[in-house]
Amino acid sequence: MFKALADPSRRRLLDLLHRENGQTLTALCAHLDMTRQAVTQHLQLLQDANLVAIVWHGREKLHYLNPVPLFAIYERWIEKFERNRLGVLRDLKRTLENDDDDKA
Amino acid sequence: MTTMTKPSFVYVTYIATTPEKLWQALVDTDVARRYWVGAKGPAHVNVSDWKPGSRWEHQRVDDARTVDIVGTVVESTPPRRLILTWARPKDADDDSKHSRVTFDIEPQDDGVIRLTVTHADLEGDAPMLAGISSGWPMILSNLKTFLETGRAFPQSPSETK
């Protein structure tokens, strides 16, 4: 799964599906400066990692973002150990940045 | 009921279990209460006789057995496929406000099953869309952990006794 996420084009594909879930290959290609074949390969890798799920709707092959494996990572690596500390850092960053804004 | 709009969400998870155990986890309240636990609040269970056309209720495991979601059993083919409609209790009698959830259970190689949860007909209901998109990944993640490890999920202490 981390390998699937390591590529910027594949992350872009996931972003596109997050914005509009359930897209055809053609619709996805319209947003990307890549050959149809390259997009197909990226989608296959995302599918193998279970980050993209396929649903046939009539004759259309629709691609869906499948967030279940991402949730498992969130739970494993972020929620249990780090949520409070990350929250404090985020608030600190926000406070400091707001101070800067006030001065400017 | 055969026509269906494009699904709003599709969730897929692979679980090392049997179709029968997975089916039981969906429909048996004694099993569901051990993993159907969200970020806050008490566990939920699904209550019905699971016959096509019957009503089902998504109930909180609290003293009042508060009903949060209701619907109709559309298809019940154990242990492979369960289709339910899904609505707020106040919209129980208004079919136009019911969305539709399909559970597909497909055995794979090596004792693993693929569970696909498809939620359709949610268009235009932003609060329900938001609740569902944060809810299903957590519930399915809990379900996988529970079936593979037997670990139950603690409920929020403030709302249980």
Side-chain angles (χ1 to χ4, degrees):
Chain A
M1 194 188 82
F2 289 110
K3 189 187 161 205
L5 289 171
D7 180 90
S9 300
R10 289 196 286 274
R11 291 199 297 271
R12 171 107 174 103
L13 276 167
L14 294 178
D15 285 339
L16 287 170
L17 291 177
H18 184 254
R19 205 161 63 195
E20 192 192 336
N21 221 346
Q23 296 194 54
T24 59
L25 175 61
T26 304
L28 287 168
C29 285
H31 295 285
L32 294 162
D33 190 18
M34 269 191 281
T35 64
R36 197 176 167 92
Q37 194 188 4
V39 177
T40 305
Q41 282 172 356
H42 283 310
L43 284 171
Q44 186 58 52
L45 231 144
L46 289 168
Q47 214 183 314
D48 292 345
N50 197 27
L51 290 167
V52 163
I54 301 296
V55 168
W56 284 94
H57 184 246
R59 296 174 68 177
E60 280 187 327
K61 186 183 184 184
L62 301 178
H63 300 79
Y64 283 84
L65 171 65
N66 179 34
V68 181
L70 294 172
F71 183 83
I73 293 299
Y74 167 79
E75 219 179 23
R76 169 72 178 79
W77 293 105
I78 300 172
E79 191 186 43
K80 269 187 219 148
F81 305 117
E82 299 292 349
R83 188 166 50 183
N84 290 339
R85 269 173 285 171
L86 289 175
V88 169
L89 284 174
R90 185 201 56 215
D91 292 345
L92 179 63
K93 178 174 153 69
R94 201 174 280 162
T95 309
L96 293 173
E97 285 174 353
N98 283 344
D99 282 355
D100 285 350
D101 287 349
D102 291 342
K103 280 174 204 155
Chain B
M1 293 295 256
T2 51
T3 55
M4 197 171 110
T5 57
K6 173 181 142 179
S8 308
F9 292 106
V10 179
Y11 300 111
V12 179
T13 186
Y14 292 85
I15 305 178
T17 188
T18 63
E20 291 76 15
K21 281 184 185 160
L22 182 53
W23 182 271
Q24 196 191 12
L26 297 176
V27 302
D28 186 328
T29 57
D30 287 337
V31 184
R33 64 185 300 156
R34 299 177 66 192
Y35 76 86
W36 208 301
V37 183
K40 54 181 192 227
H44 281 77
V45 292
N46 307 312
V47 179
S48 175
D49 64 11
W50 304 110
K51 291 182 183 137
S54 290
R55 182 183 164 103
W56 77 281
E57 293 185 346
H58 191 52
Q59 293 181 352
R60 282 183 221 170
V61 184
D62 59 10
D63 291 342
R65 287 278 168 166
T66 311
V67 175
D68 286 323
I69 298 288
V70 298
T72 306
V73 179
V74 178
E75 182 184 331
S76 177
T77 312
R80 290 298 157 84
R81 186 166 230 224
L82 180 64
I83 305 180
L84 310 171
T85 71
W86 179 283
R88 295 176 180 83
K90 68 179 172 67
D91 297 325
D93 298 325
D94 182 354
D95 283 351
S96 71
K97 301 246 174 91
H98 285 230
S99 57
R100 182 180 170 111
V101 180
T102 302
F103 299 88
D104 279 305
I105 300 169
E106 301 161 274
Q108 312 287 299
D109 297 335
D110 305 329
V112 170
I113 60 96
R114 174 189 157 106
L115 170 65
T116 306
V117 178
T118 311
H119 209 132
D121 299 335
L122 270 167
E123 289 76 12
D125 190 343
M128 188 69 96
L129 268 168
I132 274 159
S133 59
S134 64
W136 278 125
M138 183 180 293
I139 296 306
L140 295 180
S141 177
N142 289 358
L143 170 62
K144 177 179 167 71
T145 304
F146 174 70
L147 285 174
E148 292 184 349
T149 70
R151 196 183 101 206
F153 288 79
Q155 300 183 29
S156 165
S158 60
E159 306 208 25
T160 54
K161 292 179 190 168

